[in-house]
Amino acid sequence: MITLSLCMIVKNEEEVLGRCLASVADIADEIILVDTGSVDQTKEIAKQYQAKIFDFPWCDDFSAARNFSFSKATCAYSMWLDADDVLLPEDRERLKQLKKTLSEDVDMVMLPYAAAVDAQGKPTFVYDRERIVKTGKFRWEGEVHEAIVPSGHVIYADVTVTHRKIKPADGDRNLRIFEKKIALGKPLSAREKYYYARELYYHGRFRDAADMLIIFLQSGEGWRENEIDAFRVLYRCYQSMGKEEQGVYALFATFSKDLPRAEVCCELGQYFFNKGDYKKAIYWYETARKCDEPVHSGAFIEHEAYGYLPCIWLCVCYDRLGDYQTAKKYHVMAAEYHPDAPEVKNNQEYFNRLQTSEEKEQII
């Protein structure tokens, strides 16, 4: 059985830290908690779980803080979590089993990260992250959206880390860090250009975001999954600038990077639906249903795009075309994914009314 250090960086996380630590404390052999300036009960909560607590002055550099936390680890492997992450019961058991069976020749373990869940707790946005690494062998890179470059013997394990945020983060922090770096004359890596462009988009600076996305894409230095997402964000930038006709080509450009993704097909379906071209919308939503979810690609996977979303929109498209029988077929399929979704309930009432009207016509 391997030994495992849990390494965390925190600041003012009293509302969620106990929940996180309770889900993993009996699995980790030690807990390394690096505090970057808490003024609440964060440290007191950590002490309840026998955490080794270290102070680290915040310097607008997440990698520096994470590398400091990893430097304090004494176990063979180091695992990281954020304070608003949690291991659900079934994943706790899987992690325990992984700890027992992990071969010591493994350098890095990639685990699924459920970054968003629906009201029922079902993951809606998932991607793989470098979650467990051999202690002392890797370093974090990037002041914002920090990451470890995978290398060595890398495996994927079925232990999902679930993100359960209960309060919004500082929405301006990442943009502020990027622009501070630019003001200091420090060059942005390809990955940083991609994430900087996304921050610009989130802040409504669509022209600036589009320009940076184009610079990133033209560099040819980006990771495939980032390039695919960059084309999607570029489309939204043009859409927000009232240039959707021009931007839609960015969605088609994703097909040059990999097989069609359901997320992109759904966006194309929505584009043609909004134009009133329901047959083309149907084509793309049907294509989305046929797409397989990428496996161990690092892709940002929106699970709804591979099932529920195309079904609910196919229902609407066929209804607009007057094909109520096919529309109802897709309504039933959508209900299998989310029986309690408001859209499903509204559609059920609609079809009930249609049936009642038909029955009345038959009586007459």
Side-chain angles (χ1 to χ4, degrees):
M1 179 185 294
I2 65 163
T3 56
L4 186 66
S5 300
L6 174 64
C7 302
M8 303 180 66
I9 59 173
V10 297
K11 181 180 179 181
N12 295 331
E13 299 288 3
E14 64 180 6
E15 295 177 275
V16 293
L17 182 59
R19 181 187 66 186
C20 173
L21 294 178
S23 74
V24 74
D26 62 335
I27 304 174
D29 295 286
E30 69 174 355
I31 298 172
I32 306 296
L33 188 135
V34 170
D35 191 283
T36 62
S38 295
V39 293
D40 61 1
Q41 297 298 305
T42 293
K43 290 183 179 180
E44 284 68 24
I45 293 170
K47 290 175 183 176
Q48 296 174 18
Y49 293 89
Q50 291 73 53
K52 300 176 181 177
I53 302 172
F54 301 89
D55 290 315
F56 183 82
W58 180 241
C59 58
D60 284 343
D61 189 334
F62 280 93
S63 284
R66 292 223 188 265
N67 285 326
F68 180 76
S69 71
F70 272 34
S71 74
K72 300 300 180 181
T74 62
C75 295
Y77 286 83
S78 297
M79 175 179 180
W80 67 276
L81 291 174
D82 287 331
D84 47 9
D85 293 335
V86 66
L87 288 175
L88 300 179
E90 60 271 25
D91 293 302
R92 282 171 38 80
E93 295 307 313
R94 291 178 184 138
L95 181 58
K96 288 179 181 179
Q97 187 62 26
L98 176 65
K99 189 181 173 187
K100 291 178 183 177
T101 59
L102 186 65
S103 173
E104 293 183 1
D105 68 347
V106 171
D107 296 304
M108 175 180 290
V109 184
M110 306 286 287
L111 301 183
Y113 187 40
V117 298
D118 62 20
Q120 288 72 45
K122 182 179 178 181
T124 58
F125 184 54
V126 180
Y127 53 95
D128 294 316
R129 287 235 48 180
E130 64 290 31
R131 188 64 65 172
I132 301 173
V133 299
K134 266 190 176 176
T135 299
K137 189 166 184 176
F138 297 91
R139 287 188 62 79
W140 292 87
E141 298 178 7
E143 287 94 330
V144 183
H145 294 292
E146 68 281 10
I148 299 173
V149 178
S151 64
H153 184 186
V154 181
I155 68 168
Y156 291 78
D158 185 23
V159 181
T160 299
V161 175
T162 301
H163 186 61
R164 288 196 166 173
K165 180 183 293 187
I166 65 172
K167 64 179 181 180
D170 179 358
D172 297 327
R173 180 195 61 202
N174 292 349
L175 182 62
R176 190 168 58 243
I177 293 173
F178 277 130
E179 299 203 321
K180 175 183 175 182
K181 183 172 183 176
I182 293 170
L184 292 172
K186 297 180 180 179
L188 298 182
S189 67
R191 188 171 184 275
E192 287 173 323
K193 290 173 184 175
Y194 159 67
Y195 278 107
Y196 175 44
R198 288 193 3 163
E199 292 297 331
L200 290 168
Y201 169 75
Y202 297 148
H203 283 76
R205 293 167 57 181
F206 304 122
R207 181 71 265 171
D208 292 340
D211 290 344
M212 183 55 63
L213 287 166
I214 291 170
I215 291 171
F216 163 71
L217 289 164
Q218 289 180 340
S219 74
E221 299 174 353
W223 178 45
R224 181 187 66 182
E225 297 304 328
N226 288 353
E227 289 181 327
I228 291 173
D229 188 65
F231 278 121
R232 294 181 65 198
V233 178
L234 182 59
Y235 164 66
R236 294 181 204 135
C237 287
Y238 281 115
Q239 188 180 44
S240 299
M241 291 188 290
K243 300 179 179 180
E244 189 174 25
E245 296 287 339
Q246 179 181 348
V248 73
Y249 293 101
L251 294 179
F252 287 105
T254 64
F255 302 154
S256 70
K257 300 299 178 181
D258 198 17
L259 294 173
R261 301 287 174 83
E263 295 89 347
V264 175
C265 293
C266 283
E267 285 186 294
L268 285 167
Q270 189 68 57
Y271 169 77
F272 286 109
F273 178 88
N274 291 342
K275 290 171 67 68
D277 195 338
Y278 303 122
K279 290 185 178 180
K280 287 181 183 176
I282 286 171
Y283 173 85
W284 287 109
Y285 284 124
E286 287 283 17
T287 303
R289 289 190 60 240
K290 297 173 185 176
C291 292
D292 294 323
E293 289 191 13
V295 178
H296 303 329
S297 67
F300 298 138
I301 300 173
E302 299 168 20
H303 286 308
E304 304 284 37
Y306 294 83
Y308 174 72
L309 278 180
C311 287
I312 200 73
W313 281 105
L314 282 165
C315 170
V316 178
C317 288
Y318 276 105
D319 176 78
R320 294 290 175 90
L321 293 175
D323 186 347
Y324 304 118
Q325 185 174 354
T326 305
K328 188 169 184 179
K329 180 187 78 170
Y330 282 111
H331 159 66
V332 172
M333 294 172 66
E336 291 175 355
Y337 289 101
H338 288 299
D340 296 324
E343 300 86 356
V344 169
K345 291 182 176 180
N346 290 339
N347 287 349
Q348 184 60 57
E349 292 177 2
Y350 170 72
F351 286 113
N352 288 343
R353 290 195 299 271
L354 279 181
Q355 183 174 352
T356 301
S357 297
E358 290 174 358
E359 290 172 350
K360 286 181 178 179
E361 289 178 3
Q362 290 174 0
I363 294 173
I364 294 172

